[in-house]
């Protein structure tokens, strides 16, 4: 069945290490979002793409975060270097058109120690 | 100030109660309004979708949008223990989907 797939599901890493999270959007969806969810801040938009082009990444700390879509079947979110405050659940979501339903993956639970 | 404000709760009600959840927003460009439901350790899933102002009903759920007041609501009738989850409002204008913090709801049997 069609669903957004995120890997890894869980990641524990040491402070200073690089972290790469991957997302496979639903085939045919042209909009991809990256969100970070914490208890304190809720679901924060980090970046989003339309037709693989980044439209807005103002929610990301630019010095350490980067988001790309190498092709239509893969979106990546990288953190380098990682810090303990980056510990959160990171969600990827995709949509068929802008302003329509976004389908979420199961998330990557990141712990930076 | 956040673009979308939502009381995180938690909200606890007895089974069968009517639940009212709401959000306020500041961006007049928002035209599409949604409610998502999120169970523990899962991704959010769309519950209701409305465009512009008005009401929309789907079974026990009713979504209301008042653009003049920049206020949206979700009502759940005859609430069930299976409705226990976090409910997030979401809004979109030019394709940018912004969420409220989410309200945690517990429906007690």
């Amino acid at each position: 069945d069609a669903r957004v797939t995120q890997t890894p599901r869980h990641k524990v890493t040491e402070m200073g290490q690089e972290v790469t999270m991957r997302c496979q959007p639903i085939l045919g969806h042209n909009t991809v979002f990256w969100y970070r969810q914490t208890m304190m801040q809720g679901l924060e938009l980090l970046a989003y793409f339309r037709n693989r082009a980044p439209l807005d990444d103002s929610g990301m700390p630019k010095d350490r975060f980067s988001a790309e879509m190498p092709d239509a079947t893969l979106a990546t979110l990288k953190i380098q270097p990682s810090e303990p405050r980056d510990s959160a659940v990171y969600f990827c979501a995709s949509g068929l058109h802008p302003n329509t339903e976004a389908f979420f993956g199961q998330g990557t639970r990141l712990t930076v120690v | 100030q956040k673009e979308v404000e939502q009381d995180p709760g938690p909200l606890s009600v007895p089974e069968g109660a009517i639940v009212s959840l709401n959000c306020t927003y500041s961006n007049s460009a928002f035209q599409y309004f949604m409610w998502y439901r999120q169970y523990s350790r899962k991704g959010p899933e769309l519950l209701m979708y409305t465009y512009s102002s008005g009401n929309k009903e789907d079974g026990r759920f009713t979504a209301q949008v008042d653009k003049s007041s920049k206020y949206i609501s979700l009502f759940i009738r005859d609430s069930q223990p299976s409705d226990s989850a976090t409910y997030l409002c979401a809004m979109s204008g030019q394709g940018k989907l912004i969420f409220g913090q989410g309200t945690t709801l517990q429906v007690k049997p």
Side-chain angles (χ1 to χ4, degrees):
Chain A
D1 61 327
R3 57 179 176 175
V4 176
T5 304
Q6 289 186 246
T7 56
R9 291 291 310 277
H10 302 274
K11 176 73 175 179
V12 180
T13 191
E14 291 185 347
M15 182 173 61
Q17 295 298 306
E18 177 177 303
V19 175
T20 298
M21 290 169 272
R22 293 177 173 81
C23 168
Q24 181 176 3
I26 293 173
L27 189 64
H29 283 189
N30 71 354
T31 306
V32 174
F33 303 92
W34 280 107
Y35 290 92
R36 175 173 61 187
Q37 188 173 39
T38 61
M39 288 291 292
M40 291 298 295
Q41 298 298 326
L43 204 57
E44 300 175 282
L45 179 64
L46 297 176
Y48 78 105
F49 295 77
R50 189 177 306 160
N51 296 322
R52 295 176 55 201
L55 290 190
D56 191 323
D57 60 1
S58 59
M60 289 199 313
K62 297 291 191 304
D63 56 337
R64 299 185 301 108
F65 284 59
S66 63
E68 297 179 344
M69 280 201 73
D71 60 62
T73 64
L74 177 65
T76 62
L77 180 66
K78 292 186 180 181
I79 308 174
Q80 169 63 13
S82 58
E83 297 181 1
R85 59 179 169 156
D86 301 328
S87 298
V89 181
Y90 291 81
F91 285 103
C92 173
S94 70
L96 188 58
H97 296 292
N99 300 319
T100 61
E101 177 179 4
F103 293 81
F104 280 76
Q106 295 282 54
T108 294
R109 185 172 296 272
L110 174 65
T111 303
V112 183
V113 298
Chain B
Q1 183 183 3
K2 291 187 175 182
E3 284 186 281
V4 180
E5 298 281 356
Q6 182 177 8
D7 187 341
L11 182 62
S12 181
V13 301
E15 183 176 354
I18 296 174
V19 176
S20 173
L21 305 167
N22 52 74
C23 291
T24 58
Y25 64 95
S26 57
N27 190 341
S28 299
F30 289 140
Q31 297 283 347
Y32 304 85
F33 303 91
M34 295 157 243
W35 287 93
Y36 283 74
R37 181 172 59 193
Q38 184 178 22
Y39 292 111
S40 180
R41 296 188 175 270
K42 300 288 187 182
E45 293 181 319
L46 184 70
L47 191 61
M48 299 284 283
Y49 177 97
T50 54
Y51 170 69
S52 195
S53 287
N55 295 357
K56 184 174 183 178
E57 188 173 321
D58 183 2
R60 296 185 294 110
F61 298 89
T62 299
Q64 290 185 351
V65 175
D66 182 348
K67 290 189 67 180
S68 63
S69 301
K70 295 189 175 66
Y71 187 91
I72 72 169
S73 301
L74 177 71
F75 298 95
I76 307 174
R77 293 184 299 280
D78 187 26
S79 56
Q80 302 295 310
S82 58
D83 295 329
S84 298
T86 297
Y87 290 81
L88 302 105
C89 61
M91 307 176 191
S92 179
Q94 291 94 19
K96 188 175 177 177
L97 186 59
I98 304 297
F99 283 81
Q101 192 169 351
T103 300
T104 299
L105 171 68
Q106 184 180 20
V107 181
K108 295 183 176 181

